[in-house]
């Protein structure tokens, strides 16, 4: 049954839920078997679901809703909603995960946002990342300050940082790429875990085959699609820079349809 007899303003319900709570722990809501079972002096936590917030001892202001959400954390100010969301978090703070196994492997990473099924699920120590859409940032590990918005957007962006990807599968195979902006469906899709840097691509499948290309600007459907390792190219217009052979050279400019 529910109880609020320990500490001040606590509400507890479920087998072993909050069973270690001391008088110093206040304003906690712990519902579900083993939820918050290690909590002693933590304040203002909400845990709902089996083994949610299970190992927190003195954590403060955490929200864990769902089966094993925030299960192993000892940190503060995290929010996890969904089955095993933020499951592995130990000391990371200011993380927000919504969805099945969202930010599942985050350990010490902080200030990350994952919204959707398996978003950022492999991220461990990366910080200040935002993943929105099912499997966005799926295989990210240690990257920092990335924004991936769209289904499978930035899927294989592993250690790259400071990227902005918007669109389904944009930057899909980005690997260790840094400082890129890709806007559109499969824009900057990449090839074999790329290491591209400082590129701007806007449009459906623009800069699609890039590998290690750098400082290219392409705008338009399939613009710059042939660029692989080329650098300092500017292609503007429908299929501009979409040659049959890969573009490895640099300092090219083309404007107009099929240029």
């Amino acid at each position: 049954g529910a109880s609020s007899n320990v500490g001040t303003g606590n509400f507890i319900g479920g087998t072993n839920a909050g069973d270690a709570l001391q008088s110093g722990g206040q304003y906690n809501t712990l519902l579900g078997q083993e939820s918050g079972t290690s909590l002693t002096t933590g304040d203002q936590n909400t845990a709902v679901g089996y083994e949610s917030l299970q190992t927190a001892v003195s954590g403060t202001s955490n929200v864990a809703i769902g089966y094993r959400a925030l299960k192993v954390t000892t940190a503060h100010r995290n929010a996890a909603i969904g089955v095993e969301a933020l499951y592995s978090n130990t000391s990371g703070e200011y993380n927000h995960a919504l969805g099945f196994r969202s930010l599942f492997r985050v350990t010490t990473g902080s200030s990350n946002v994952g919204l959707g099924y398996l978003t950022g699920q492999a991220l461990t120590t990366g910080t200040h990342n935002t993943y929105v859409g099912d499997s966005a940032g799926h295989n990210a590990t240690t990257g920092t300050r990335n924004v991936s918005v769209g289904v499978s957007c930035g899927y294989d962006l592993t250690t790259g940082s400071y990227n902005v990807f918007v669109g389904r599968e944009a930057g899909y195979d980005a690997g260790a790429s840094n400082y890129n902006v890709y806007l559109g469906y499969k824009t900057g899709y990449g090839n074999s875990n790329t290491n591209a840097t400082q590129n701007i691509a806007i449009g459906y499948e623009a800069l699609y085959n890039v590998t290690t290309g750098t400082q290219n600007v392409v705008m338009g459907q399939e613009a710059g699609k042939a660029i692989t390792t080329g650098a300092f190219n500017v292609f503007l217009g429908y299929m501009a820079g979409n040659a049959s052979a890969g573009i490895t050279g640099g300092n090219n400019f083309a404007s107009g349809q099929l240029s």
Side-chain angles (χ1 to χ4, degrees):
S3 171
S4 57
N5 296 325
V6 180
T8 302
N10 295 302
F11 186 78
I12 303 168
T15 303
N16 297 329
D19 60 352
L21 199 63
Q22 300 174 6
S23 59
Q26 304 181 71
Y27 308 108
N28 298 287
T29 298
L30 309 172
L31 300 174
Q33 184 175 342
E34 308 290 342
S35 66
T37 188
S38 300
L39 195 66
T40 57
T41 58
D43 300 327
Q44 301 166 354
N45 296 288
T46 299
V48 179
Y50 176 76
E51 290 187 353
S52 57
L53 206 66
Q54 184 183 31
T55 63
V57 177
S58 58
T60 299
S61 302
N62 294 293
V63 175
I65 300 176
Y67 173 84
R68 290 180 168 171
L70 269 174
K71 174 180 167 68
V72 300
T73 195
T74 59
H76 312 281
R77 293 173 285 276
N78 294 287
I81 301 175
V83 171
E84 293 184 342
L86 273 169
Y87 175 93
S88 304
N89 184 63
T90 54
S91 58
E93 299 188 340
Y94 304 104
N95 294 294
H96 298 79
L98 173 62
F100 175 81
R101 288 194 170 181
S102 176
L103 301 181
F104 176 79
R105 290 185 175 87
V106 167
T107 53
T108 60
S110 295
S111 301
N112 297 290
V113 176
L115 304 178
Y117 172 83
L118 293 176
T119 49
Q121 64 88 34
L123 191 70
T124 54
T125 59
T127 64
H128 298 91
N129 297 289
T130 299
Y131 306 121
V132 180
D134 288 354
S135 293
H138 184 275
N139 289 328
T141 54
T142 59
T144 295
R145 298 182 188 278
N146 296 291
V147 176
S148 294
V149 180
V151 173
S152 296
C153 183
Y155 187 93
D156 273 329
L157 177 67
T158 53
T159 60
S161 297
Y162 301 97
N163 298 286
V164 176
F165 301 151
V166 179
R168 185 185 181 103
E169 296 182 25
Y172 183 93
D173 207 9
S177 299
N178 300 298
Y179 304 104
N180 298 287
V181 177
Y182 300 148
L183 307 179
Y185 175 67
K186 289 190 175 181
T187 303
Y189 188 91
N191 188 359
S192 300
N193 287 307
T194 61
N195 188 16
T197 60
Q198 298 175 311
N199 297 290
I200 297 174
I202 300 175
Y204 168 83
E205 291 190 357
L207 209 65
Y208 182 89
N209 291 308
V210 68
T211 55
T212 59
T214 183
Q215 298 187 45
N216 297 287
V217 177
V218 301
M219 297 183 185
Q221 181 176 332
E222 298 184 42
K225 190 172 183 177
I227 294 175
T228 54
T229 62
F232 307 106
N233 297 289
V234 177
F235 294 125
L236 307 176
Y238 171 70
M239 295 185 74
N242 188 3
S244 58
I247 295 176
T248 59
N251 298 294
N252 296 293
F253 176 83
S255 177
Q257 183 173 332
L258 301 174
S259 54

